[in-house]
Amino acid sequence: MTTFLTPSRRGFLVLSGMGLALAGCSTVSVLAPTPGATDQTAAALPLVNELRKKNGLSTLSSVNASRKAAAVQAVRMAKADEMQHLIGLGDSFYNRMKASDVTLPAAENIASGQNEVERAVQAWIDSPKHLKNMLGSYSGLGVAVAYAKDGRPYWSMILSS
């Protein structure tokens, strides 16, 4: 029988794993979402749907789960004051979408610095990878913005199936 107090390779590995798990938990909890996002889906939806119509695609609808996921990501970025898809140890796009009940497959566009929804959508249109997401086989949309302490806006768009 091995105990944690007996110096052994196995005991060291178990304790190391526990330490990493705890570090991951503390990092994620620090960056947990808080209220503070503004839903911009209603303003973004006509802009995205116009783009999709011009490209012969069906229109998107506002979806509560996508709106929630967009708000969560916008707040996370504003809180961290960095534009990143993945923030913190153990972050996962799949787990974030699952936690918000987003129907997969899904895609995420992020932006920072634009003061208006029109400018954020245009920045995504001007980016080939983001444009590809907006022209993808999706049916749902959610868009949100949150502001860092210094007033910098962080945008998130979630496209869902």
Side-chain angles (χ1 to χ4, degrees), residues 4 6 8-25 89:
F4 288 115
T6 304
S8 71
R9 182 173 170 226
R10 183 177 187 197
F12 175 76
L13 292 174
V14 169
L15 287 174
S16 297
M18 288 172 58
L20 286 174
L22 291 174
C25 290
L89 185 64

Side-chain angles (χ1 to χ4, degrees), residues 41 61-72 96-104 140-143 158-161:
T41 307
S61 300
S62 174
V63 173
N64 286 338
S66 297
R67 292 167 54 199
K68 176 183 173 186
V72 166
R96 283 192 290 111
M97 295 305 105
K98 188 175 176 182
S100 292
D101 296 321
V102 171
T103 304
L104 300 175
L141 182 74
V143 177
I158 302 295
L159 298 127
S160 60
S161 297

Side-chain angles (χ1 to χ4, degrees), residues 66-139:
S66 297
R67 292 167 54 199
K68 176 183 173 186
V72 166
Q73 181 62 8
V75 169
R76 292 173 73 241
M77 290 188 299
K79 202 170 174 186
D81 202 6
E82 72 179 72
M83 187 182 74
Q84 295 289 330
H85 290 281
L86 302 177
I87 301 171
L89 185 64
D91 192 10
S92 157
F93 176 75
Y94 173 79
N95 288 341
R96 283 192 290 111
M97 295 305 105
K98 188 175 176 182
S100 292
D101 296 321
V102 171
T103 304
L104 300 175
E108 176 178 76
N109 288 349
I110 58 175
S112 178
Q114 297 81 9
N115 292 321
E116 299 155 358
V117 68
E118 295 83 4
R119 290 179 188 247
V121 171
Q122 189 60 53
W124 291 322
I125 290 170
D126 293 341
S127 164
K129 288 182 182 180
H130 294 104
L131 177 61
K132 183 178 178 182
N133 284 344
M134 291 189 293
L135 298 178
S137 297
Y138 301 108
S139 59

